[in-house]
Amino acid sequence: MTYIASDTEAMLEGDDNERAFVETKRQHPLSGFWRTPKSRVGLIIFAAFVLLAIVGPMVAPFNPNALTDDLLQPPSLKHIFGTTLTGQDVFSQFLVGARSVMVVGLIAGTVATLLGVIVGINAALFPGFADEFLSALANVFLVIPALPLIILIAGFIPNGGGWITVSLVISVTGWAWGSRVIRAQTLSLRNRDFVQAARATGKSTSSLIVFEIFPNLVPIIAGGFVGTVNFAILSMVSLSFIGIGSSSDWNWGTILFWAQGQQALSQGAWWWFVPPGLAIAILGMGLTLITLGIDEFVNPKLRAGGLDLKALKRAKVRSRVGYTAVLPEKGRS
Amino acid sequence: MKYIARRIIFYLITAWAAITINFLLPRLLPGDPVQALLLRFKGQISEQATQSLYVLFGLDKSQSLWSQYISYWVQLFRGDLGLSFTFFPTPVSQVIGQSLPWTLVLVGVSTVIGFALGTAAGVIAGWRRGGWTERLIPVTSFFSSIPYFWLALLLISIFAVNLHWFSDAGGYDILTDPGWNLDFILSAAYHGILPALTIVISSFAGWMLGMRNMMVTVTSEDYVVVAHAKGLSERTVNFAYAARNAILPSVSGFALSLGFIVGGTLLTEMVFSYPGIGYTMFQAVQAKDYPLMQGMFLVITFAVLFANLVADMVYVFLDPRTRSEV
Amino acid sequence: MNDARSEDPVLEIKNLCVSYGTGSGEVRALENITVTLNRGEVLGLAGESGSGKSTLVYGATRLLSPPGIVTSGEVLYHPPTGGEAVAILRVDDDKLRQLRWNDIAIVFQGSMNSLSPVFRIERQLTDVIAKHRPASSRIERSTRARELLKMVGIPQDRLIAYPHQLSGGMRQRVMIAMAMALNPDVVIMDEPTTALDVVMQRQILQEILRLRSKLNFSVIFITHDVSLLIELADRIAIMYAGRIVEEGPAQDLYRNPQHPYTYGLLNSFPSLHGERKEIVGIPGSPPDLQNMPSGCPFTPRCPFAFEACHKSMPPLTGSDQFPREAHVVACHLHSADSARVPIELSSPRVRGSV
C-alpha cells in the first residue's frame, strides 16, 4: 500500500496551536526542502526516471515487438535484461515502456490535482450548499475502492483506449484525496489573521485567492500531486497487468502481463519480471520520499533538525521528550 | 451517536452513487457487446434471464432512462444481478457468493495483521527518534511502493518455485473435499500464506509510516510533557498517552487505506489464481463478462462501506470527543 | 551579613545555561541564571513572551522538549527532611521520576492540550498516585481524586468527564488539583491564569493562596502580568532576553523598581485608584535571541540608556541603594555612580512623594 499522508489533516487541525519553536537561522523556505536528504534523494530518483522516459525509446537497441531467435535468454551483453519467450528484448521493452508510464502518471496526476484544487478551494471559500455537495462528492469517491472502479470503467471501453483515456479514468478516481486536504488547509487559512486583514482592506475574493491563500497552499498541493502521480502510475501498471488497456502499447505493466501469461515464473525467467517491478518500486519510493520531505516541510515538528544528533551522540547524551539532554560537566562545576 | 448516524447516511449515499454509476456505465460508453453475447446464447437463456439482462444493460430502447433506472433498482432489490457469461448459465450472485468468502478471509486476516504489526512498528519508530529508526524510513518507503502483484510474483518465485515451501497457485489442494473438514481448512490455510504475506508486507509500510509521523506529532503535545512531568514511566507515557492518541488518525484514515488494500488484494489473487473475487474479476475482464464485472464492483463497494462503518464504530469507541452530545 | 537568600532554600538554580539546538544553529535561551526558591515562599517570575521564564523552569526540571538542551549549570533540590540535596540535572532517570510530582509538581496551563483527550479526569488524577504510591488501592485513589476535586471546588460528577467537556476555568482547576495529588514540596505554576478572564483569574488566585496556606508548599509562579505578582509573591524576579534583570522582595520591587524594564512593566497597567496617569508601556519588541546585540539587551528599548549600555552586559548585583543582596539589579545605571540614577528608578526617599 502506498504511504498516504492521511495524518496531514490531523496536522492541519493542530496548526494554530503553535508552541514556541525556535527556528534556526533564517533561510529561504525552499532550501529547507532541498536540504532534507529524503527529498533530495526522492527528487534525484524522479528526475532520473523522467530522463529515462524522454530518452528511453530513442536509445532502445531493439524494437520491443521484434521477435528474435534468442528465446528466453538470461541477461547478457546483447540483451541487458534478457529476452522473453518469443525472443523479444526485455530491455527495449523496458525503455520504451518508461515513457508511457511517466506520461500517464504525470497527466493523470496533473488533471487529478487540478480537479482537486478547484474543488478544494471552492468548497472552502464558498461555504453552504456547494461546499456540502462537493465535500460529499469527494468523500464518495474516496470511499469507493479505486482499482475496482477503474477496472470497471476501463473494461467498458472498447480496446481499453489509449493512454489518454486511461489517464482520464485514473484522474476521475484519484482527485478526491487531494481536494480534501486542500479544503482543510484553505479553511484553516481563511480564518488566519492575514487573510482577515486582507479582506478588511477590501481586497476582492479573486485576488485574495491568488495572492494570499494560494502561496500557502503550494506545499500541500505539491504533496498531493506527488502522491497522485504515485497512485496513477500504480493504477496504470495494474490495469495493463490485468490486460486492460492496449496490450500492444508497451509499458511496464504490459511486460509483466506477458511475463505472467507466458509462465515466466515457473520457468525461472526472473529477468523478465524483476526489472519492471523493481523500477516501479524505486520510482514509487522516490515519490514517497518527496512526499515525506514535503510533510516535514509543512510540519516542522517532523524535522529532526535543530539538534546536531551526532555531536550529542559523541557526548553520550540522548535528547528525549520529557528528559532534556544535559551536557556533561567539563571538569568540576 | 450522531456521528455514527451521519456516517451511515453517508455510506447509504455512497452506495446509491455506486449503484448509479453501475447503471450509467453501460449506457454511456460505446460498444454493445451484451447484444452480441445474447445472440450467441440465444435459446439457452430463459425468458426471465433475458429480461433481467435487458434491465441491467438498458437494451430495451423503448423505455425511458428514468423507468430503466427504476427497473434496475427493483431488480437489484430482488438480488438479481444477471447471468454470468463466463460461467454461463450461473447467476452472477452465485458466482460472487462462492468467491466472496475466500477474499473476505484473506483480506480480513491480512489487514488485521498488517495493521497491528505496522502500527506497533510505527509506535516504536516514533518513540525512539533519531538513530536507526530514521534510516528505516527509505527502506519502508521502498516497500510501501512495491506493487502488490509484483511482490506476489517475487514471493512465488522465491518461495514456491525455488524453495518449494509454499504452493504457487490455487486456494486449496484440489484433491481435498471443500467443506468444513480439517484437511480442507489446513490446505486452504497453507495456500493462503503467500497471498496473505504479500498483502501484509505491502500494507505494513504504509501503516508504519503513518503511525510514526503521528507519534512524532503527538509526542510534542503538551499532555505528553505533562505525563512525563508526573513521573510516569516512559513506557506508560508512550503507550497510554502518546500511542493511544496517535492511533486515532490511522483508524479514521482506514477508509482510504482499505480501498487501496482491496485493490491490491484483487491483484494478488490474480497472480496466485486464488479463488476469490479478484481472480474471478480477472476472468470476467478477460471474457468481457459485464454482468459479472458490474456485480462484483457493487459487492466489493458494499463490503468496503461496511468495513468502514465498523472502523467508524471503533473510532467512536476510541475517541470520546465524537461521543459528546455537546 | 543578613542575607535573605540563605534562609532555607528548597530549590537552588545555579548558573543555568540553556540553548535550543547545538552547533551553528544554537540559540542561547538562558544565560547563567542563578535564582533560589526558599521554603514556604512564593517566587514570582515575570517577563514578556520569549524572556525565558518557562524555559527556566522546564530546563531546571529537565522537561524541556528537544531541541532544548541544558548546556551547563546545577539545580539542587533540598528535601524537607533535611536529607542530601538532589542534583536534578545529574540524577538518573529513575530517581528523577521518583522526584517528579512527588516533590516537585507543575501546574501547566489548563489549555485543551494539557490533558489527554481520551482519558477521563479521574484516570488522569489517579494514575500519578498509582505510580508513586503503588501500595494504594483503587478505592483509596478514587477517594483521593474526590478530595482533590473538592479542594479546588469542582463538582464530583466531573470525575467521569472528559477534558473536552470542561470549561477553561475548570480545566485549570483540574491542573491545580492534579498538582496537589501527592502533596508536593514545590509547586511550579506556569501561567495558570493567562488564558482566563479576570474574574476567573481572581478566583483561581484565591484558590492557590488558600491551598498554599493549608498545605504549605513553596511556589514558583510564572506570568507575564507583573500586577498579579505584587499581591501574590514574596519575591519577584524579572526576566528579559534570557537573563534575570532584577530580583527582590515584591513590595520593594513595586515601590522602588530599579531596572528600567521593571519600571516599564509596572507602569504598563492602569491602577484602579489614584490619579490618572498616562500609560507608557514599553516601545519596541523583545530582541531576537539569534541576533543579540553586545552589551545590555534592553538597550534599544531603554529610555535611560547611555554609552556603557552598548558595551558590556551589566552584572546582577545589589546597588548603592540596597547594598544587601536582598534586592539586586542588572543595570549600568546602578552599578555606576548613583548620580546617574534617574528619578523614576530612585528610592522613595529620594523621590519624596508616593
Side-chain angles (χ1 to χ4, degrees):
Chain A
M1 169 179 102
T2 322
Y3 163 67
I4 301 170
S6 60
D7 52 297
T8 313
E9 280 183 58
M11 265 180 340
L12 291 173
E13 278 158 30
D15 232 6
D16 291 322
N17 185 20
E18 281 166 47
R19 299 173 79 225
F21 178 89
V22 181
E23 291 274 337
T24 47
K25 297 211 186 72
R26 306 254 172 278
Q27 301 158 332
H28 185 273
L30 277 181
S31 69
F33 178 69
W34 180 250
R35 230 158 274 241
T36 331
K38 290 189 190 86
S39 343
R40 230 181 310 168
V41 171
L43 278 170
I44 293 175
I45 294 178
F46 182 65
F49 276 97
V50 170
L51 199 63
L52 189 66
I54 299 175
V55 167
M58 298 185 257
V59 302
F62 294 85
N63 182 330
N65 290 309
L67 307 170
T68 67
D69 290 326
D70 307 318
L71 305 179
L72 218 58
Q73 297 285 318
S76 61
L77 281 175
K78 187 171 169 205
H79 299 283
I80 305 182
F81 282 171
T83 59
T84 71
L85 194 65
T86 48
Q88 296 165 326
D89 179 35
V90 176
F91 187 58
S92 308
Q93 294 179 342
F94 178 79
L95 287 176
V96 171
R99 186 177 281 189
S100 315
V101 172
M102 293 301 287
V103 164
V104 170
L106 286 171
I107 291 184
T110 314
V111 174
T113 307
L114 221 60
L115 280 175
V117 168
I118 295 173
V119 171
I121 294 189
N122 273 307
L125 290 178
F126 304 109
F129 179 70
D131 178 23
E132 291 287 325
F133 176 71
L134 287 173
S135 307
L137 192 68
N139 284 328
V140 163
F141 271 99
L142 269 178
V143 169
I144 293 182
L147 194 65
L149 183 60
I150 297 177
I151 293 177
L152 189 65
I153 298 179
F156 267 100
I157 300 174
N159 283 332
W163 46 266
I164 301 184
T165 327
V166 173
S167 313
L168 284 177
V169 170
I170 295 177
S171 316
V172 160
T173 49
W175 63 271
W177 176 67
S179 90
R180 213 161 83 142
V181 178
I182 292 174
R183 176 176 175 273
Q185 176 72 323
T186 310
L187 272 177
S188 128
L189 282 175
R190 192 172 67 159
N191 294 325
R192 289 273 185 84
D193 293 338
F194 68 94
V195 171
Q196 305 282 37
R199 208 181 247 156
T201 62
K203 276 199 170 183
S204 74
T205 318
S206 45
S207 71
L208 252 186
I209 297 177
V210 171
F211 293 111
E212 305 286 348
I213 294 187
F214 205 75
N216 283 291
L217 286 177
V218 170
I220 299 267
I221 295 179
F225 175 71
V226 173
T228 314
V229 169
N230 209 357
F231 164 75
I233 292 178
L234 273 175
S235 305
M236 188 242 179
V237 167
S238 307
L239 277 182
S240 306
F241 176 68
I242 306 176
I244 300 180
S246 160
S247 52
S248 58
D249 201 7
W250 285 107
N251 66 62
W252 296 338
T254 344
I255 303 178
L256 290 167
F257 170 72
W258 289 111
Q260 154 91 332
Q262 311 257 319
Q263 305 297 330
L265 283 173
S266 41
Q267 309 206 28
W270 58 269
W271 55 88
W272 199 348
F273 69 87
V274 166
L278 205 58
I280 301 169
I282 295 178
L283 178 56
M285 174 176 87
L287 292 172
T288 307
L289 286 176
I290 297 179
T291 311
L292 287 175
I294 296 181
D295 265 357
E296 280 189 9
F297 180 68
V298 167
N299 182 4
K301 289 176 195 158
L302 287 175
R303 288 185 223 163
L307 279 179
D308 184 357
L309 291 169
K310 290 203 191 88
L312 285 183
K313 215 168 165 192
R314 256 180 273 130
K316 294 205 202 329
V317 160
R318 238 177 75 193
S319 178
R320 297 166 282 162
V321 172
Y323 300 88
T324 312
V326 179
L327 290 186
E329 305 164 24
K330 306 169 192 128
R332 304 222 39 216
S333 60
Chain B
M1 282 314 116
K2 258 172 60 176
Y3 178 75
I4 293 278
R6 268 192 300 144
R7 298 303 287 169
I8 293 182
I9 294 179
F10 168 66
Y11 293 135
L12 288 175
I13 295 179
T14 311
W16 167 84
I19 294 176
T20 309
I21 290 178
N22 236 353
F23 171 77
L24 289 173
L25 271 180
R27 290 161 178 78
L28 288 178
L29 295 170
D32 204 354
V34 181
Q35 271 297 22
L37 272 129
L38 270 178
L39 281 160
R40 198 172 87 205
F41 287 110
K42 208 177 180 87
Q44 298 178 37
I45 324 178
S46 69
E47 192 56 42
Q48 212 181 358
T50 319
Q51 184 53 28
S52 86
L53 282 170
Y54 265 56
V55 171
L56 281 177
F57 292 98
L59 299 173
D60 187 353
K61 300 294 182 229
S62 63
Q63 278 194 314
S64 73
L65 201 65
W66 180 248
S67 53
Q68 283 182 27
Y69 192 48
I70 307 280
S71 321
Y72 185 69
W73 271 92
V74 170
Q75 187 158 305
L76 273 186
F77 262 100
R78 276 191 277 135
D80 182 358
L81 291 163
L83 293 180
S84 152
F85 293 162
T86 344
F87 302 102
F88 194 81
T90 331
V92 167
S93 36
Q94 199 173 325
V95 176
I96 297 182
Q98 278 170 346
S99 37
L100 190 62
W102 290 95
T103 308
L104 284 180
V105 170
L106 183 61
V107 171
V109 171
S110 315
T111 308
V112 166
I113 296 180
F115 181 80
L117 287 180
T119 314
V123 169
I124 297 177
W127 177 357
R128 304 193 162 280
R129 287 211 67 197
W132 58 273
T133 50
E134 294 287 314
R135 253 167 270 140
L136 261 177
I137 290 176
V139 176
T140 34
S141 318
F142 177 73
F143 273 98
S144 79
S145 320
I146 296 185
Y148 277 76
F149 58 89
W150 187 71
L151 182 62
L153 290 173
L154 207 60
L155 287 179
I156 294 181
S157 163
I158 299 175
F159 290 106
V161 173
N162 283 324
L163 294 176
H164 295 288
W165 284 359
F166 298 102
S167 79
D168 64 339
Y172 55 95
D173 192 339
I174 44 181
L175 296 175
T176 63
D177 286 318
W180 290 107
N181 57 63
L182 193 63
D183 263 348
F184 179 67
I185 294 180
L186 281 179
S187 165
Y190 174 70
H191 280 79
I193 290 182
L194 277 189
L197 200 62
T198 312
I199 300 172
V200 168
I201 294 179
S202 302
S203 58
F204 171 87
W207 296 121
M208 183 186 134
L209 283 177
M211 189 62 179
R212 176 234 170 218
N213 278 357
M214 207 47 210
M215 278 294 283
V216 170
T217 308
V218 160
T219 31
S220 61
E221 295 277 5
D222 288 341
Y223 54 81
V224 171
V225 178
V226 172
H228 280 298
K230 283 173 164 180
L232 302 172
S233 73
E234 280 194 83
R235 219 173 47 158
T236 311
V237 177
N238 272 295
F239 282 101
Y241 280 81
R244 178 68 175 71
N245 279 288
I247 208 174
L248 294 175
S250 289
V251 174
S252 73
F254 198 71
L256 291 174
S257 326
L258 194 58
F260 229 83
I261 295 179
V262 163
T265 309
L266 298 188
L267 295 169
T268 309
E269 284 184 5
M270 291 176 200
V271 172
F272 282 99
S273 307
Y274 194 76
I277 298 229
Y279 185 55
T280 322
M281 186 82 149
F282 182 51
Q283 294 170 301
V285 168
Q286 304 281 42
K288 298 265 187 242
D289 185 350
Y290 293 109
L292 189 55
M293 278 165 65
Q294 289 203 313
M296 298 198 122
F297 170 69
L298 276 186
V299 170
I300 292 173
T301 305
F302 292 160
V304 168
L305 291 180
F306 183 72
N308 275 313
L309 187 62
V310 172
D312 284 335
M313 293 203 263
V314 171
Y315 188 80
V316 168
F317 174 70
L318 289 178
D319 187 353
R321 288 169 288 189
T322 50
R323 283 178 252 157
S324 189
E325 307 304 327
V326 177
Chain C
M1 177 166 88
N2 190 9
D3 191 342
R5 276 188 201 192
S6 59
E7 265 179 36
D8 183 11
V10 63
L11 192 67
E12 284 184 85
I13 300 176
K14 296 186 187 167
N15 298 107
L16 189 67
C17 294
V18 169
S19 297
Y20 285 102
T22 51
S24 58
E26 181 176 357
V27 176
R28 301 172 70 104
L30 289 181
E31 294 277 6
N32 253 308
I33 303 282
T34 299
V35 68
T36 304
L37 174 69
N38 291 310
R39 208 168 292 280
E41 85 171 351
V42 176
L43 173 67
L45 272 184
E48 283 167 306
S49 313
S51 55
K53 38 193 207 302
S54 294
T55 310
L56 175 56
V57 297
Y58 292 123
T61 49
R62 286 191 69 193
L63 283 170
L64 201 61
S65 297
I69 179 171
V70 175
T71 49
S72 70
E74 200 186 359
V75 178
L76 291 175
Y77 165 69
H78 300 272
T81 51
E84 203 186 308
V86 180
I88 299 181
L89 297 179
R90 309 287 162 200
V91 293
D92 62 51
D93 289 354
D94 272 324
K95 192 84 179 65
L96 187 61
R97 282 192 282 268
Q98 264 179 1
L99 185 70
R100 281 179 171 171
W101 223 252
N102 205 15
D103 303 305
I104 303 179
I106 305 187
V107 175
F108 290 84
Q109 253 192 297
S111 63
M112 249 317 191
N113 254 325
S114 303
L115 293 165
S116 173
V118 297
F119 290 155
R120 297 185 201 271
I121 301 297
E122 176 168 11
R123 169 145 180 198
Q124 305 202 43
L125 286 174
T126 54
D127 64 3
V128 63
I129 304 176
K131 170 71 181 178
H132 289 271
R133 310 265 187 272
S136 62
S137 71
R138 274 196 82 196
I139 304 190
E140 283 168 352
R141 293 198 289 268
S142 186
T143 314
R144 179 70 178 146
R146 280 176 215 284
E147 250 175 53
L148 289 169
L149 283 191
K150 194 147 159 236
M151 233 193 264
V152 295
I154 297 182
Q156 301 282 301
D157 64 359
R158 301 281 84 194
L159 266 182
I160 52 169
Y162 287 100
H164 67 278
Q165 293 171 310
L166 301 178
S167 69
M170 261 196 216
R171 274 198 301 270
Q172 187 64 66
R173 286 172 199 251
V174 168
M175 299 307 287
I176 297 176
M178 209 161 71
M180 304 288 124
L182 300 170
N183 268 328
D185 254 356
V186 175
V187 177
I188 300 176
M189 304 200 172
D190 187 3
E191 309 223 35
T193 57
T194 303
L196 306 171
D197 62 74
V198 196
V199 177
M200 189 61 67
Q201 240 182 45
R202 188 104 203 125
Q203 284 181 11
I204 300 275
L205 285 177
Q206 280 172 341
E207 208 72 69
I208 293 175
L209 284 173
R210 207 174 43 80
L211 286 169
R212 209 200 106 205
S213 57
K214 189 166 128 188
L215 299 170
N216 252 322
F217 44 81
S218 323
V219 178
I220 299 183
F221 194 100
I222 302 174
T223 178
H224 60 269
D225 185 354
V226 187
S227 60
L228 287 179
L229 294 177
I230 311 287
E231 293 184 49
L232 188 64
D234 299 313
R235 312 186 79 247
I236 300 179
I238 308 280
M239 289 191 71
Y240 189 79
R243 294 169 176 79
I244 295 183
V245 295
E246 187 167 358
E247 186 194 334
Q251 290 305 310
D252 285 354
L253 224 95
Y254 174 58
R255 274 189 241 116
N256 183 199
Q258 303 208 332
H259 197 281
Y261 181 57
T262 316
Y263 178 74
L265 281 181
L266 289 168
N267 287 307
S268 304
F269 59 90
S271 136
L272 277 178
H273 359 266
E275 47 186 75
R276 289 165 77 189
K277 319 185 268 182
E278 197 182 336
I279 302 294
V280 174
I282 311 172
S285 46
D288 179 2
L289 288 175
Q290 289 170 315
N291 267 320
M292 291 285 276
S294 54
C296 172
F298 189 61
T299 317
R301 307 167 75 186
C302 182
F304 309 115
F306 62 104
E307 317 83 54
C309 302
H310 295 275
K311 295 210 202 98
S312 65
M313 181 64 212
L316 185 68
T317 58
S319 62
D320 285 339
Q321 301 181 43
F322 289 93
R324 296 181 327 160
E325 300 222 355
H327 187 165
V328 292
V329 64
C331 181
H332 285 301
L333 291 168
H334 295 278
S335 22
D337 55 286
S338 42
R340 278 228 171 246
V341 183
I343 197 86
E344 292 89 340
L345 306 179
S346 307
S347 72
R349 239 177 302 124
V350 175
R351 267 183 282 144
S353 61
V354 180

